[in-house]
PDB file of all heavy atoms in Angstrom:
ATOM      1  N   MET A  28       0.836  -1.210   0.004  1.00 85.00           N
ATOM      2  CA  MET A  28      -0.005  -0.002   0.000  1.00 85.00           C
ATOM      3  C   MET A  28       0.864   1.261   0.007  1.00 85.00           C
ATOM      4  O   MET A  28       0.544   2.245  -0.683  1.00 85.00           O
ATOM      5  CB  MET A  28      -0.922  -0.003   1.212  1.00 85.00           C
ATOM      6  CG  MET A  28      -2.068  -0.959   1.144  1.00 85.00           C
ATOM      7  SD  MET A  28      -3.094  -0.847   2.645  1.00 85.00           S
ATOM      8  CE  MET A  28      -4.399  -2.005   2.243  1.00 85.00           C
ATOM      9  N   VAL A  29       1.936   1.251   0.780  1.00 86.00           N
ATOM     10  CA  VAL A  29       2.841   2.403   0.819  1.00 86.00           C
ATOM     11  C   VAL A  29       3.437   2.648  -0.567  1.00 86.00           C
ATOM     12  O   VAL A  29       3.526   3.785  -1.044  1.00 86.00           O
ATOM     13  CB  VAL A  29       3.954   2.191   1.861  1.00 86.00           C
ATOM     14  CG1 VAL A  29       4.967   3.345   1.802  1.00 86.00           C
ATOM     15  CG2 VAL A  29       3.368   2.092   3.250  1.00 86.00           C
ATOM     16  N   THR A  30       3.822   1.565  -1.239  1.00 82.00           N
ATOM     17  CA  THR A  30       4.374   1.698  -2.581  1.00 82.00           C
ATOM     18  C   THR A  30       3.329   2.270  -3.519  1.00 82.00           C
ATOM     19  O   THR A  30       3.628   3.151  -4.335  1.00 82.00           O
ATOM     20  CB  THR A  30       4.856   0.328  -3.102  1.00 82.00           C
ATOM     21  OG1 THR A  30       5.832  -0.197  -2.214  1.00 82.00           O
ATOM     22  CG2 THR A  30       5.458   0.451  -4.496  1.00 82.00           C
ATOM     23  N   GLN A  31       2.095   1.796  -3.429  1.00 83.00           N
ATOM     24  CA  GLN A  31       1.032   2.303  -4.289  1.00 83.00           C
ATOM     25  C   GLN A  31       0.741   3.780  -4.020  1.00 83.00           C
ATOM     26  O   GLN A  31       0.501   4.546  -4.975  1.00 83.00           O
ATOM     27  CB  GLN A  31      -0.248   1.488  -4.077  1.00 83.00           C
ATOM     28  CG  GLN A  31      -0.199   0.095  -4.688  1.00 83.00           C
ATOM     29  CD  GLN A  31      -1.482  -0.666  -4.420  1.00 83.00           C
ATOM     30  OE1 GLN A  31      -1.805  -1.010  -3.278  1.00 83.00           O
ATOM     31  NE2 GLN A  31      -2.247  -0.934  -5.460  1.00 83.00           N
ATOM     32  N   LEU A  32       0.754   4.177  -2.769  1.00 89.00           N
ATOM     33  CA  LEU A  32       0.543   5.595  -2.435  1.00 89.00           C
ATOM     34  C   LEU A  32       1.657   6.442  -3.021  1.00 89.00           C
ATOM     35  O   LEU A  32       1.405   7.518  -3.617  1.00 89.00           O
ATOM     36  CB  LEU A  32       0.485   5.758  -0.909  1.00 89.00           C
ATOM     37  CG  LEU A  32       0.390   7.203  -0.388  1.00 89.00           C
ATOM     38  CD1 LEU A  32      -0.797   7.929  -0.995  1.00 89.00           C
ATOM     39  CD2 LEU A  32       0.331   7.212   1.138  1.00 89.00           C
ATOM     40  N   HIS A  33       2.862   5.988  -2.893  1.00 86.00           N
ATOM     41  CA  HIS A  33       4.001   6.707  -3.452  1.00 86.00           C
ATOM     42  C   HIS A  33       3.861   6.845  -4.973  1.00 86.00           C
ATOM     43  O   HIS A  33       4.084   7.928  -5.550  1.00 86.00           O
ATOM     44  CB  HIS A  33       5.294   5.963  -3.098  1.00 86.00           C
ATOM     45  CG  HIS A  33       6.538   6.694  -3.456  1.00 86.00           C
ATOM     46  ND1 HIS A  33       7.542   6.145  -4.212  1.00 86.00           N
ATOM     47  CD2 HIS A  33       6.950   7.956  -3.182  1.00 86.00           C
ATOM     48  CE1 HIS A  33       8.514   7.020  -4.367  1.00 86.00           C
ATOM     49  NE2 HIS A  33       8.184   8.124  -3.768  1.00 86.00           N
ATOM     50  N   LEU A  34       3.473   5.772  -5.637  1.00 83.00           N
ATOM     51  CA  LEU A  34       3.280   5.794  -7.086  1.00 83.00           C
ATOM     52  C   LEU A  34       2.181   6.798  -7.468  1.00 83.00           C
ATOM     53  O   LEU A  34       2.322   7.544  -8.442  1.00 83.00           O
ATOM     54  CB  LEU A  34       2.911   4.409  -7.600  1.00 83.00           C
ATOM     55  CG  LEU A  34       3.957   3.299  -7.439  1.00 83.00           C
ATOM     56  CD1 LEU A  34       3.398   1.967  -7.908  1.00 83.00           C
ATOM     57  CD2 LEU A  34       5.229   3.617  -8.174  1.00 83.00           C
ATOM     58  N   ALA A  35       1.112   6.792  -6.706  1.00 88.00           N
ATOM     59  CA  ALA A  35      -0.004   7.692  -7.019  1.00 88.00           C
ATOM     60  C   ALA A  35       0.420   9.151  -6.952  1.00 88.00           C
ATOM     61  O   ALA A  35       0.053   9.967  -7.804  1.00 88.00           O
ATOM     62  CB  ALA A  35      -1.168   7.433  -6.053  1.00 88.00           C
ATOM     63  N   LEU A  36       1.196   9.492  -5.944  1.00 90.00           N
ATOM     64  CA  LEU A  36       1.638  10.880  -5.769  1.00 90.00           C
ATOM     65  C   LEU A  36       2.565  11.337  -6.900  1.00 90.00           C
ATOM     66  O   LEU A  36       2.461  12.460  -7.394  1.00 90.00           O
ATOM     67  CB  LEU A  36       2.360  11.034  -4.423  1.00 90.00           C
ATOM     68  CG  LEU A  36       1.509  10.775  -3.174  1.00 90.00           C
ATOM     69  CD1 LEU A  36       2.369  10.826  -1.925  1.00 90.00           C
ATOM     70  CD2 LEU A  36       0.357  11.785  -3.085  1.00 90.00           C
ATOM     71  N   VAL A  37       3.453  10.436  -7.322  1.00 87.00           N
ATOM     72  CA  VAL A  37       4.410  10.817  -8.364  1.00 87.00           C
ATOM     73  C   VAL A  37       3.763  10.823  -9.745  1.00 87.00           C
ATOM     74  O   VAL A  37       3.997  11.719 -10.560  1.00 87.00           O
ATOM     75  CB  VAL A  37       5.644   9.888  -8.333  1.00 87.00           C
ATOM     76  CG1 VAL A  37       6.585  10.210  -9.486  1.00 87.00           C
ATOM     77  CG2 VAL A  37       6.373  10.015  -7.007  1.00 87.00           C
ATOM     78  N   LEU A  38       2.930   9.823 -10.037  1.00 85.00           N
ATOM     79  CA  LEU A  38       2.299   9.752 -11.345  1.00 85.00           C
ATOM     80  C   LEU A  38       1.294  10.878 -11.563  1.00 85.00           C
ATOM     81  O   LEU A  38       0.914  11.164 -12.697  1.00 85.00           O
ATOM     82  CB  LEU A  38       1.615   8.396 -11.533  1.00 85.00           C
ATOM     83  CG  LEU A  38       2.547   7.204 -11.706  1.00 85.00           C
ATOM     84  CD1 LEU A  38       1.741   5.925 -11.921  1.00 85.00           C
ATOM     85  CD2 LEU A  38       3.513   7.400 -12.848  1.00 85.00           C
ATOM     86  N   ALA A  39       0.854  11.522 -10.494  1.00 90.00           N
ATOM     87  CA  ALA A  39      -0.087  12.629 -10.627  1.00 90.00           C
ATOM     88  C   ALA A  39       0.619  13.941 -10.983  1.00 90.00           C
ATOM     89  O   ALA A  39      -0.033  14.965 -11.156  1.00 90.00           O
ATOM     90  CB  ALA A  39      -0.880  12.793  -9.339  1.00 90.00           C
ATOM     91  N   ILE A  40       1.940  13.903 -11.100  1.00 89.00           N
ATOM     92  CA  ILE A  40       2.690  15.081 -11.541  1.00 89.00           C
ATOM     93  C   ILE A  40       2.729  15.101 -13.059  1.00 89.00           C
ATOM     94  O   ILE A  40       3.124  14.120 -13.704  1.00 89.00           O
ATOM     95  CB  ILE A  40       4.132  15.056 -10.991  1.00 89.00           C
ATOM     96  CG1 ILE A  40       4.107  15.101  -9.451  1.00 89.00           C
ATOM     97  CG2 ILE A  40       4.958  16.204 -11.553  1.00 89.00           C
ATOM     98  CD1 ILE A  40       5.455  14.893  -8.816  1.00 89.00           C
ATOM     99  N   ASP A  41       2.271  16.154 -13.664  1.00 88.00           N
ATOM    100  CA  ASP A  41       2.240  16.274 -15.115  1.00 88.00           C
ATOM    101  C   ASP A  41       3.634  16.618 -15.642  1.00 88.00           C
ATOM    102  O   ASP A  41       3.893  17.760 -16.031  1.00 88.00           O
ATOM    103  CB  ASP A  41       1.218  17.325 -15.557  1.00 88.00           C
ATOM    104  CG  ASP A  41       1.040  17.361 -17.056  1.00 88.00           C
ATOM    105  OD1 ASP A  41       1.360  16.355 -17.732  1.00 88.00           O
ATOM    106  OD2 ASP A  41       0.598  18.406 -17.584  1.00 88.00           O
ATOM    107  N   ALA A  42       4.521  15.643 -15.627  1.00 91.00           N
ATOM    108  CA  ALA A  42       5.912  15.860 -16.003  1.00 91.00           C
ATOM    109  C   ALA A  42       6.162  15.450 -17.442  1.00 91.00           C
ATOM    110  O   ALA A  42       5.426  14.630 -18.005  1.00 91.00           O
ATOM    111  CB  ALA A  42       6.813  15.071 -15.068  1.00 91.00           C
ATOM    112  N   LYS A  43       7.220  15.999 -18.019  1.00 94.00           N
ATOM    113  CA  LYS A  43       7.636  15.598 -19.371  1.00 94.00           C
ATOM    114  C   LYS A  43       8.433  14.305 -19.335  1.00 94.00           C
ATOM    115  O   LYS A  43       8.460  13.543 -20.305  1.00 94.00           O
ATOM    116  CB  LYS A  43       8.473  16.711 -20.013  1.00 94.00           C
ATOM    117  CG  LYS A  43       7.708  17.957 -20.402  1.00 94.00           C
ATOM    118  CD  LYS A  43       6.795  17.674 -21.590  1.00 94.00           C
ATOM    119  CE  LYS A  43       6.133  18.952 -22.063  1.00 94.00           C
ATOM    120  NZ  LYS A  43       5.159  18.670 -23.161  1.00 94.00           N
ATOM    121  N   ILE A  44       9.129  14.082 -18.225  1.00 95.00           N
ATOM    122  CA  ILE A  44       9.999  12.921 -18.089  1.00 95.00           C
ATOM    123  C   ILE A  44       9.635  12.181 -16.800  1.00 95.00           C
ATOM    124  O   ILE A  44       9.507  12.798 -15.740  1.00 95.00           O
ATOM    125  CB  ILE A  44      11.489  13.332 -18.044  1.00 95.00           C
ATOM    126  CG1 ILE A  44      11.905  13.964 -19.368  1.00 95.00           C
ATOM    127  CG2 ILE A  44      12.372  12.143 -17.716  1.00 95.00           C
ATOM    128  CD1 ILE A  44      13.288  14.606 -19.319  1.00 95.00           C
ATOM    129  N   LEU A  45       9.475  10.876 -16.913  1.00 93.00           N
ATOM    130  CA  LEU A  45       9.231  10.040 -15.743  1.00 93.00           C
ATOM    131  C   LEU A  45      10.363   9.033 -15.637  1.00 93.00           C
ATOM    132  O   LEU A  45      10.644   8.299 -16.582  1.00 93.00           O
ATOM    133  CB  LEU A  45       7.888   9.321 -15.863  1.00 93.00           C
ATOM    134  CG  LEU A  45       7.504   8.375 -14.723  1.00 93.00           C
ATOM    135  CD1 LEU A  45       7.416   9.120 -13.403  1.00 93.00           C
ATOM    136  CD2 LEU A  45       6.183   7.676 -15.031  1.00 93.00           C
ATOM    137  N   VAL A  46      11.014   9.014 -14.487  1.00 93.00           N
ATOM    138  CA  VAL A  46      12.130   8.103 -14.238  1.00 93.00           C
ATOM    139  C   VAL A  46      11.707   7.109 -13.169  1.00 93.00           C
ATOM    140  O   VAL A  46      11.335   7.488 -12.059  1.00 93.00           O
ATOM    141  CB  VAL A  46      13.375   8.877 -13.781  1.00 93.00           C
ATOM    142  CG1 VAL A  46      14.536   7.933 -13.498  1.00 93.00           C
ATOM    143  CG2 VAL A  46      13.794   9.903 -14.837  1.00 93.00           C
ATOM    144  N   LEU A  47      11.758   5.822 -13.514  1.00 91.00           N
ATOM    145  CA  LEU A  47      11.303   4.762 -12.628  1.00 91.00           C
ATOM    146  C   LEU A  47      12.451   3.806 -12.341  1.00 91.00           C
ATOM    147  O   LEU A  47      12.988   3.180 -13.263  1.00 91.00           O
ATOM    148  CB  LEU A  47      10.147   3.984 -13.280  1.00 91.00           C
ATOM    149  CG  LEU A  47       8.958   4.806 -13.778  1.00 91.00           C
ATOM    150  CD1 LEU A  47       8.019   3.923 -14.559  1.00 91.00           C
ATOM    151  CD2 LEU A  47       8.233   5.444 -12.613  1.00 91.00           C
ATOM    152  N   ASP A  48      12.815   3.674 -11.090  1.00 89.00           N
ATOM    153  CA  ASP A  48      13.901   2.783 -10.701  1.00 89.00           C
ATOM    154  C   ASP A  48      13.301   1.589  -9.952  1.00 89.00           C
ATOM    155  O   ASP A  48      12.972   1.705  -8.771  1.00 89.00           O
ATOM    156  CB  ASP A  48      14.905   3.523  -9.827  1.00 89.00           C
ATOM    157  CG  ASP A  48      16.169   2.715  -9.570  1.00 89.00           C
ATOM    158  OD1 ASP A  48      16.318   1.625 -10.147  1.00 89.00           O
ATOM    159  OD2 ASP A  48      17.027   3.186  -8.791  1.00 89.00           O
ATOM    160  N   GLU A  49      13.119   0.459 -10.646  1.00 85.00           N
ATOM    161  CA  GLU A  49      12.500  -0.714 -10.062  1.00 85.00           C
ATOM    162  C   GLU A  49      11.210  -0.312  -9.339  1.00 85.00           C
ATOM    163  O   GLU A  49      11.061  -0.538  -8.120  1.00 85.00           O
ATOM    164  CB  GLU A  49      13.472  -1.410  -9.091  1.00 85.00           C
ATOM    165  CG  GLU A  49      14.776  -1.864  -9.714  1.00 85.00           C
ATOM    166  CD  GLU A  49      14.672  -3.176 -10.468  1.00 85.00           C
ATOM    167  OE1 GLU A  49      13.558  -3.714 -10.582  1.00 85.00           O
ATOM    168  OE2 GLU A  49      15.707  -3.651 -10.952  1.00 85.00           O
ATOM    169  N   PRO A  50      10.245   0.259 -10.041  1.00 82.00           N
ATOM    170  CA  PRO A  50       9.113   0.919  -9.384  1.00 82.00           C
ATOM    171  C   PRO A  50       8.124   0.009  -8.690  1.00 82.00           C
ATOM    172  O   PRO A  50       7.349   0.467  -7.849  1.00 82.00           O
ATOM    173  CB  PRO A  50       8.433   1.657 -10.538  1.00 82.00           C
ATOM    174  CG  PRO A  50       8.741   0.831 -11.744  1.00 82.00           C
ATOM    175  CD  PRO A  50      10.145   0.348 -11.524  1.00 82.00           C
ATOM    176  N   THR A  51       8.094  -1.280  -9.030  1.00 80.00           N
ATOM    177  CA  THR A  51       7.038  -2.131  -8.503  1.00 80.00           C
ATOM    178  C   THR A  51       7.527  -3.149  -7.472  1.00 80.00           C
ATOM    179  O   THR A  51       6.839  -4.133  -7.196  1.00 80.00           O
ATOM    180  CB  THR A  51       6.326  -2.883  -9.638  1.00 80.00           C
ATOM    181  OG1 THR A  51       7.279  -3.652 -10.384  1.00 80.00           O
ATOM    182  CG2 THR A  51       5.634  -1.898 -10.581  1.00 80.00           C
ATOM    183  N   LEU A  52       8.706  -2.905  -6.885  1.00 74.00           N
ATOM    184  CA  LEU A  52       9.180  -3.781  -5.831  1.00 74.00           C
ATOM    185  C   LEU A  52       8.171  -3.787  -4.673  1.00 74.00           C
ATOM    186  O   LEU A  52       7.705  -2.734  -4.254  1.00 74.00           O
ATOM    187  CB  LEU A  52      10.539  -3.332  -5.316  1.00 74.00           C
ATOM    188  CG  LEU A  52      11.750  -3.567  -6.232  1.00 74.00           C
ATOM    189  CD1 LEU A  52      13.003  -3.013  -5.581  1.00 74.00           C
ATOM    190  CD2 LEU A  52      11.917  -5.043  -6.534  1.00 74.00           C
ATOM    191  N   GLY A  53       7.843  -4.964  -4.188  1.00 70.00           N
ATOM    192  CA  GLY A  53       6.916  -5.055  -3.068  1.00 70.00           C
ATOM    193  C   GLY A  53       5.468  -5.189  -3.466  1.00 70.00           C
ATOM    194  O   GLY A  53       4.608  -5.358  -2.604  1.00 70.00           O
ATOM    195  N   LEU A  54       5.173  -5.126  -4.768  1.00 76.00           N
ATOM    196  CA  LEU A  54       3.800  -5.264  -5.231  1.00 76.00           C
ATOM    197  C   LEU A  54       3.544  -6.672  -5.767  1.00 76.00           C
ATOM    198  O   LEU A  54       4.428  -7.290  -6.357  1.00 76.00           O
ATOM    199  CB  LEU A  54       3.503  -4.240  -6.333  1.00 76.00           C
ATOM    200  CG  LEU A  54       3.660  -2.757  -5.955  1.00 76.00           C
ATOM    201  CD1 LEU A  54       3.269  -1.895  -7.146  1.00 76.00           C
ATOM    202  CD2 LEU A  54       2.815  -2.412  -4.751  1.00 76.00           C
ATOM    203  N   ASP A  55       2.331  -7.179  -5.597  1.00 81.00           N
ATOM    204  CA  ASP A  55       1.987  -8.477  -6.145  1.00 81.00           C
ATOM    205  C   ASP A  55       1.785  -8.348  -7.657  1.00 81.00           C
ATOM    206  O   ASP A  55       1.697  -7.247  -8.202  1.00 81.00           O
ATOM    207  CB  ASP A  55       0.736  -9.045  -5.470  1.00 81.00           C
ATOM    208  CG  ASP A  55      -0.475  -8.128  -5.643  1.00 81.00           C
ATOM    209  OD1 ASP A  55      -0.925  -7.944  -6.790  1.00 81.00           O
ATOM    210  OD2 ASP A  55      -0.971  -7.587  -4.630  1.00 81.00           O
ATOM    211  N   ILE A  56       1.700  -9.475  -8.356  1.00 84.00           N
ATOM    212  CA  ILE A  56       1.669  -9.462  -9.802  1.00 84.00           C
ATOM    213  C   ILE A  56       0.463  -8.721 -10.361  1.00 84.00           C
ATOM    214  O   ILE A  56       0.575  -8.008 -11.371  1.00 84.00           O
ATOM    215  CB  ILE A  56       1.735 -10.912 -10.363  1.00 84.00           C
ATOM    216  CG1 ILE A  56       1.869 -10.874 -11.891  1.00 84.00           C
ATOM    217  CG2 ILE A  56       0.540 -11.727  -9.911  1.00 84.00           C
ATOM    218  CD1 ILE A  56       2.169 -12.225 -12.506  1.00 84.00           C
ATOM    219  N   LEU A  57      -0.692  -8.842  -9.719  1.00 82.00           N
ATOM    220  CA  LEU A  57      -1.883  -8.139 -10.198  1.00 82.00           C
ATOM    221  C   LEU A  57      -1.701  -6.630 -10.096  1.00 82.00           C
ATOM    222  O   LEU A  57      -2.008  -5.882 -11.022  1.00 82.00           O
ATOM    223  CB  LEU A  57      -3.104  -8.580  -9.393  1.00 82.00           C
ATOM    224  CG  LEU A  57      -4.429  -7.884  -9.753  1.00 82.00           C
ATOM    225  CD1 LEU A  57      -4.781  -8.133 -11.224  1.00 82.00           C
ATOM    226  CD2 LEU A  57      -5.555  -8.365  -8.836  1.00 82.00           C
ATOM    227  N   THR A  58      -1.184  -6.177  -8.960  1.00 80.00           N
ATOM    228  CA  THR A  58      -0.969  -4.728  -8.768  1.00 80.00           C
ATOM    229  C   THR A  58       0.095  -4.203  -9.703  1.00 80.00           C
ATOM    230  O   THR A  58      -0.013  -3.072 -10.193  1.00 80.00           O
ATOM    231  CB  THR A  58      -0.589  -4.445  -7.306  1.00 80.00           C
ATOM    232  OG1 THR A  58      -1.573  -4.998  -6.430  1.00 80.00           O
ATOM    233  CG2 THR A  58      -0.513  -2.955  -7.055  1.00 80.00           C
ATOM    234  N   ARG A  59       1.119  -5.008  -9.983  1.00 83.00           N
ATOM    235  CA  ARG A  59       2.153  -4.584 -10.933  1.00 83.00           C
ATOM    236  C   ARG A  59       1.558  -4.357 -12.307  1.00 83.00           C
ATOM    237  O   ARG A  59       1.850  -3.370 -12.979  1.00 83.00           O
ATOM    238  CB  ARG A  59       3.278  -5.610 -10.993  1.00 83.00           C
ATOM    239  CG  ARG A  59       4.081  -5.735  -9.715  1.00 83.00           C
ATOM    240  CD  ARG A  59       5.436  -6.375  -9.926  1.00 83.00           C
ATOM    241  NE  ARG A  59       5.385  -7.688 -10.531  1.00 83.00           N
ATOM    242  CZ  ARG A  59       5.331  -8.820  -9.863  1.00 83.00           C
ATOM    243  NH1 ARG A  59       5.283  -8.803  -8.534  1.00 83.00           N
ATOM    244  NH2 ARG A  59       5.329  -9.989 -10.478  1.00 83.00           N
ATOM    245  N   ARG A  60       0.728  -5.267 -12.731  1.00 84.00           N
ATOM    246  CA  ARG A  60       0.088  -5.123 -14.043  1.00 84.00           C
ATOM    247  C   ARG A  60      -0.824  -3.894 -14.091  1.00 84.00           C
ATOM    248  O   ARG A  60      -0.861  -3.163 -15.074  1.00 84.00           O
ATOM    249  CB  ARG A  60      -0.684  -6.383 -14.400  1.00 84.00           C
ATOM    250  CG  ARG A  60       0.213  -7.580 -14.716  1.00 84.00           C
ATOM    251  CD  ARG A  60      -0.569  -8.785 -15.162  1.00 84.00           C
ATOM    252  NE  ARG A  60       0.308  -9.893 -15.498  1.00 84.00           N
ATOM    253  CZ  ARG A  60      -0.140 -11.081 -15.919  1.00 84.00           C
ATOM    254  NH1 ARG A  60      -1.446 -11.288 -16.050  1.00 84.00           N
ATOM    255  NH2 ARG A  60       0.733 -12.036 -16.207  1.00 84.00           N
ATOM    256  N   GLN A  61      -1.567  -3.684 -12.994  1.00 80.00           N
ATOM    257  CA  GLN A  61      -2.439  -2.514 -12.933  1.00 80.00           C
ATOM    258  C   GLN A  61      -1.622  -1.224 -12.995  1.00 80.00           C
ATOM    259  O   GLN A  61      -2.040  -0.256 -13.646  1.00 80.00           O
ATOM    260  CB  GLN A  61      -3.259  -2.557 -11.647  1.00 80.00           C
ATOM    261  CG  GLN A  61      -4.313  -3.638 -11.624  1.00 80.00           C
ATOM    262  CD  GLN A  61      -5.009  -3.747 -10.287  1.00 80.00           C
ATOM    263  OE1 GLN A  61      -4.504  -3.288  -9.250  1.00 80.00           O
ATOM    264  NE2 GLN A  61      -6.188  -4.355 -10.268  1.00 80.00           N
ATOM    265  N   PHE A  62      -0.465  -1.237 -12.347  1.00 80.00           N
ATOM    266  CA  PHE A  62       0.393  -0.053 -12.374  1.00 80.00           C
ATOM    267  C   PHE A  62       0.842   0.279 -13.777  1.00 80.00           C
ATOM    268  O   PHE A  62       0.754   1.431 -14.224  1.00 80.00           O
ATOM    269  CB  PHE A  62       1.615  -0.265 -11.483  1.00 80.00           C
ATOM    270  CG  PHE A  62       2.719   0.740 -11.730  1.00 80.00           C
ATOM    271  CD1 PHE A  62       2.569   2.059 -11.354  1.00 80.00           C
ATOM    272  CD2 PHE A  62       3.899   0.379 -12.359  1.00 80.00           C
ATOM    273  CE1 PHE A  62       3.553   3.005 -11.590  1.00 80.00           C
ATOM    274  CE2 PHE A  62       4.899   1.293 -12.609  1.00 80.00           C
ATOM    275  CZ  PHE A  62       4.718   2.610 -12.220  1.00 80.00           C
ATOM    276  N   TYR A  63       1.318  -0.720 -14.520  1.00 85.00           N
ATOM    277  CA  TYR A  63       1.797  -0.448 -15.862  1.00 85.00           C
ATOM    278  C   TYR A  63       0.669  -0.062 -16.811  1.00 85.00           C
ATOM    279  O   TYR A  63       0.852   0.773 -17.721  1.00 85.00           O
ATOM    280  CB  TYR A  63       2.588  -1.651 -16.400  1.00 85.00           C
ATOM    281  CG  TYR A  63       3.949  -1.775 -15.757  1.00 85.00           C
ATOM    282  CD1 TYR A  63       4.290  -2.870 -14.967  1.00 85.00           C
ATOM    283  CD2 TYR A  63       4.904  -0.764 -15.903  1.00 85.00           C
ATOM    284  CE1 TYR A  63       5.544  -2.970 -14.365  1.00 85.00           C
ATOM    285  CE2 TYR A  63       6.142  -0.852 -15.293  1.00 85.00           C
ATOM    286  CZ  TYR A  63       6.460  -1.957 -14.529  1.00 85.00           C
ATOM    287  OH  TYR A  63       7.687  -2.044 -13.924  1.00 85.00           O
ATOM    288  N   ASN A  64      -0.512  -0.627 -16.618  1.00 83.00           N
ATOM    289  CA  ASN A  64      -1.664  -0.197 -17.401  1.00 83.00           C
ATOM    290  C   ASN A  64      -1.991   1.255 -17.122  1.00 83.00           C
ATOM    291  O   ASN A  64      -2.276   2.053 -18.036  1.00 83.00           O
ATOM    292  CB  ASN A  64      -2.880  -1.076 -17.112  1.00 83.00           C
ATOM    293  CG  ASN A  64      -2.748  -2.461 -17.695  1.00 83.00           C
ATOM    294  OD1 ASN A  64      -1.986  -2.679 -18.640  1.00 83.00           O
ATOM    295  ND2 ASN A  64      -3.481  -3.417 -17.137  1.00 83.00           N
ATOM    296  N   HIS A  65      -1.968   1.626 -15.840  1.00 80.00           N
ATOM    297  CA  HIS A  65      -2.232   3.008 -15.438  1.00 80.00           C
ATOM    298  C   HIS A  65      -1.186   3.938 -16.031  1.00 80.00           C
ATOM    299  O   HIS A  65      -1.490   5.057 -16.468  1.00 80.00           O
ATOM    300  CB  HIS A  65      -2.240   3.098 -13.911  1.00 80.00           C
ATOM    301  CG  HIS A  65      -2.480   4.462 -13.379  1.00 80.00           C
ATOM    302  ND1 HIS A  65      -3.684   5.112 -13.442  1.00 80.00           N
ATOM    303  CD2 HIS A  65      -1.645   5.356 -12.765  1.00 80.00           C
ATOM    304  CE1 HIS A  65      -3.604   6.305 -12.906  1.00 80.00           C
ATOM    305  NE2 HIS A  65      -2.373   6.482 -12.480  1.00 80.00           N
ATOM    306  N   LEU A  66       0.043   3.489 -16.045  1.00 83.00           N
ATOM    307  CA  LEU A  66       1.144   4.281 -16.591  1.00 83.00           C
ATOM    308  C   LEU A  66       0.885   4.646 -18.045  1.00 83.00           C
ATOM    309  O   LEU A  66       1.066   5.797 -18.467  1.00 83.00           O
ATOM    310  CB  LEU A  66       2.448   3.471 -16.470  1.00 83.00           C
ATOM    311  CG  LEU A  66       3.752   4.170 -16.839  1.00 83.00           C
ATOM    312  CD1 LEU A  66       4.066   5.264 -15.844  1.00 83.00           C
ATOM    313  CD2 LEU A  66       4.885   3.146 -16.879  1.00 83.00           C
ATOM    314  N   LEU A  67       0.432   3.688 -18.834  1.00 86.00           N
ATOM    315  CA  LEU A  67       0.210   3.913 -20.251  1.00 86.00           C
ATOM    316  C   LEU A  67      -1.073   4.714 -20.493  1.00 86.00           C
ATOM    317  O   LEU A  67      -1.115   5.580 -21.373  1.00 86.00           O
ATOM    318  CB  LEU A  67       0.108   2.575 -20.990  1.00 86.00           C
ATOM    319  CG  LEU A  67       1.400   1.738 -21.033  1.00 86.00           C
ATOM    320  CD1 LEU A  67       1.122   0.412 -21.746  1.00 86.00           C
ATOM    321  CD2 LEU A  67       2.542   2.490 -21.707  1.00 86.00           C
ATOM    322  N   GLU A  68      -2.099   4.429 -19.723  1.00 82.00           N
ATOM    323  CA  GLU A  68      -3.392   5.059 -19.964  1.00 82.00           C
ATOM    324  C   GLU A  68      -3.472   6.484 -19.440  1.00 82.00           C
ATOM    325  O   GLU A  68      -4.076   7.357 -20.080  1.00 82.00           O
ATOM    326  CB  GLU A  68      -4.516   4.230 -19.316  1.00 82.00           C
ATOM    327  CG  GLU A  68      -4.686   2.854 -19.978  1.00 82.00           C
ATOM    328  CD  GLU A  68      -5.666   1.979 -19.209  1.00 82.00           C
ATOM    329  OE1 GLU A  68      -6.205   2.478 -18.182  1.00 82.00           O
ATOM    330  OE2 GLU A  68      -5.881   0.829 -19.608  1.00 82.00           O
TER     331      GLU A  68
END
């Protein structure tokens, strides 16, 4: 949950460049897939 909260705060920044360093450590496979779908959409 902490990882998801952190992702939500950063992805809500309307930036030109997004840098992700092993962004889904600690997340289960379903949440990891949801994260990458959210990233693209």
Side-chain angles (χ1 to χ4, degrees):
M28 286 181 177
V29 175
T30 302
Q31 287 180 293
L32 175 55
H33 188 233
L34 296 177
L36 296 174
V37 176
L38 289 182
I40 298 172
D41 186 21
K43 289 290 185 184
I44 295 171
L45 178 61
V46 179
L47 307 171
D48 189 5
E49 301 279 4
T51 57
L52 287 178
L54 300 182
D55 59 65
I56 186 170
L57 178 60
T58 305
R59 294 200 303 268
R60 289 185 178 180
Q61 290 174 340
F62 165 70
Y63 286 116
N64 288 338
H65 179 71
L66 186 68
L67 294 178
E68 293 172 2

